[in-house]
Amino acid sequence: MEQEIYDIAVIGGGPVGMFTAFYASLRHVKTILVESLATLGGQVTALYPEKTILDVAGFSGIKGSAFIAELDKQLHLFPVDIKTETTVVNVEQTGELFTVTTDVGEPFQAKKVIITTGKGAFEPRKMQVEGVDELVGQGVHYFVTHKQDFANHHVAIAGGGDSAVDMATMLNQVTASTTIIHRRDNFRAMEQSVLALEQSTVIRETPKKITHIEKENNGQLKITLEQVKDSDSVSDILVDDLIINYGFISENKTIQGWAIQPEISGQVFKVDQAMQTSVPGIFAVGDASHYSGKSDLIAIGFGEAPHAVNAAIRQFDPLRGGPGHSSSMVLKDGTIS
Ligand SMILES: Cc1cc2nc3c(=O)[nH]c(=O)nc-3n(C[C@H](O)[C@H](O)[C@H](O)COP(=O)(O)OP(=O)(O)OC[C@H]3O[C@@H](n4cnc5c(N)ncnc54)[C@H](O)[C@@H]3O)c2cc1C
């Protein structure tokens, strides 16, 4: 059977992969988007569907899940083949084309490949307190998928980064009380997020560390806190839930076993100004790419996507010109062509 040939294959259906595939379809090239998980949205869907995202253009604050729903609507404006629950297990160069093999179905070919696989599989950084692992699911959590699960609960959040601070102010809207526990006095989060925390009723236990957690007979958790640099200063708090928010660790094994091996920096792909990796015709954008000064933000990935798509098109269709503005595709009757 003849293999299907795409102009552009986008590997990874996180927010940046979704926008990359949409932008490719906007340029009217035959595009496929492949995602390992059952649902699109990458880290936003898996890790923070309830968080309000403030730093993407055009939204004055949007819940993670609603943001992905908007990206999904945009992705469906023009034809894109979307394969979920499909992991790319090999990419190899076959003459002018790349052959992409997945764990399900037939391999397909693509003129150019854009890698948007993020930083690979990730897992939460674990709390190093004896016995805490046994309490996961019994009041101790590493993930929050529905904030209403914590309605009227007394909740403690351990951590002091962006995600912990945002989680504290978000959950505080529904909890009976929210306490944030951090081992430093200063929180390492966006300035406006810290301001919002300071102006909220969230109780701040700083600079303190958790030394012991115990389940009480009434189901509550007794958390023992020790003042940093003063081990004699110890106190207990009682809560219904403890959410551990120490960030995530990832191990990028995405291209293990792939025939093509683009140069890596850290755990991600080194790219040039056109977002091309060291293998001509293979591009990387979003969290999967690295260059000097790179930040892992959705807005940055959205800026990188058109660079990669346009550069890829220039390679296989140098006479096409463009890109134009998307408004140039609106027909006289107002519909989008
Ligand atoms: C708790 C938290 C809060 C954050 N808050 C913000 C925020 O407020 N604003 C902001 O801009 N950024 C935020 N970020 C960062 C933001 O989520 C990332 O920058 C963004 O998700 C990167 O998108 P991506 O599409 O490049 O990668 P990801 O979102 O990591 O998506 C990669 C996708 O590729 C898939 N994949 C991997 N390997 C394969 C394979 N071999 N085959 C097929 N599919 C594959 C994965 O399943 C995944 O769905 C936050 C991150 C975290 C963890």
Side-chain angles (χ1 to χ4, degrees):
M1 201 175 80
E2 285 255 314
Q3 281 180 352
E4 185 99 46
I5 301 178
Y6 291 91
D7 291 318
I8 293 183
V10 181
I11 304 177
V16 178
M18 293 172 81
F19 182 68
T20 305
F22 158 71
Y23 190 85
S25 71
L26 185 65
R27 294 229 51 207
H28 198 45
V29 294
K30 191 172 175 192
T31 307
I32 183 168
L33 173 66
V34 187
E35 164 58 44
S36 332
L37 302 176
T39 46
L40 298 175
Q43 293 173 48
V44 184
T45 302
L47 304 178
Y48 56 101
E50 287 275 351
K51 176 182 142 158
T52 301
I53 302 173
L54 291 169
D55 54 355
V56 281
F59 293 103
S60 59
I62 181 163
K63 212 165 92 157
S65 54
F67 176 58
I68 296 301
E70 289 298 325
L71 278 173
D72 197 52
K73 262 195 249 165
Q74 188 180 35
L75 178 61
H76 283 86
L77 282 178
F78 306 110
V80 174
D81 273 359
I82 301 168
K83 305 258 180 260
T84 51
E85 292 185 89
T86 306
T87 298
V88 170
V89 293
N90 190 18
V91 178
E92 63 186 306
Q93 188 135 22
T94 29
E96 299 261 288
L97 298 171
F98 294 98
T99 300
V100 179
T101 307
T102 62
D103 59 345
V104 286
E106 292 299 314
F108 61 85
Q109 294 191 303
K111 293 178 185 164
K112 305 292 161 195
V113 172
I114 303 180
I115 303 175
T116 51
T117 49
K119 292 197 154 38
F122 33 82
E123 54 177 271
R125 197 181 295 279
K126 294 284 163 61
M127 175 180 273
Q128 302 301 324
V129 170
E130 214 187 308
V132 71
D133 288 345
E134 285 86 77
L135 294 171
V136 172
Q138 297 183 56
V140 172
H141 315 259
Y142 281 101
F143 293 100
V144 169
T145 41
H146 300 290
K147 79 173 175 193
Q148 286 305 331
D149 292 348
F150 301 90
N152 304 316
H153 287 204
H154 295 279
V155 174
I157 294 163
D162 257 310
S163 165
V165 168
D166 288 345
M167 177 131 356
T169 38
M170 173 190 81
L171 287 182
N172 197 42
Q173 296 160 1
V174 297
T175 57
S177 75
T178 313
T179 304
I180 187 163
I181 304 159
H182 182 38
R183 64 197 155 86
R184 296 201 174 87
D185 266 327
N186 296 325
F187 292 95
R188 272 187 280 177
M190 292 278 258
E191 292 80 350
Q192 290 293 356
S193 305
V194 176
L195 218 59
L197 180 80
E198 286 169 355
Q199 288 166 357
S200 74
T201 54
V202 172
I203 302 157
R204 284 170 275 153
E205 293 281 8
T206 63
K208 290 184 182 172
K209 58 181 180 189
I210 297 176
T211 53
H212 189 72
I213 304 169
E214 206 174 293
K215 187 117 178 138
E216 298 281 276
N217 288 337
N218 67 357
Q220 284 198 303
L221 299 169
K222 185 166 93 179
I223 303 177
T224 306
L225 303 175
E226 184 184 293
Q227 189 85 19
V228 171
K229 293 190 185 147
D230 181 6
S231 54
D232 292 337
S233 176
V234 174
S235 57
D236 290 331
I237 60 168
L238 278 174
V239 293
D240 301 307
D241 302 275
L242 169 67
I243 298 163
I244 300 166
N245 215 315
Y246 287 165
F248 293 89
I249 42 177
S250 60
E251 197 185 353
N252 203 345
K253 294 183 179 160
T254 305
I255 59 164
Q256 253 181 27
W258 287 16
I260 55 142
Q261 286 289 320
E263 197 181 331
I264 295 277
S265 172
Q267 295 190 27
V268 292
F269 304 100
K270 257 180 148 169
V271 292
D272 64 15
Q273 283 180 323
M275 308 307 297
Q276 185 165 241
T277 68
S278 60
V279 177
I282 303 279
F283 297 78
V285 297
D287 282 12
S289 66
H290 178 77
Y291 46 84
S292 167
K294 164 87 188 190
S295 314
D296 289 339
L297 289 171
I298 296 165
I300 303 274
F302 283 0
E304 294 164 353
H307 268 317
V309 170
N310 294 330
I313 293 173
R314 274 195 298 276
Q315 287 185 2
F316 64 76
D317 192 359
L319 299 179
R320 178 193 277 240
H325 291 141
S326 59
S327 55
S328 64
M329 300 185 74
V330 176
L331 299 176
K332 279 189 185 140
D333 66 0
T335 58
I336 300 170
S337 69

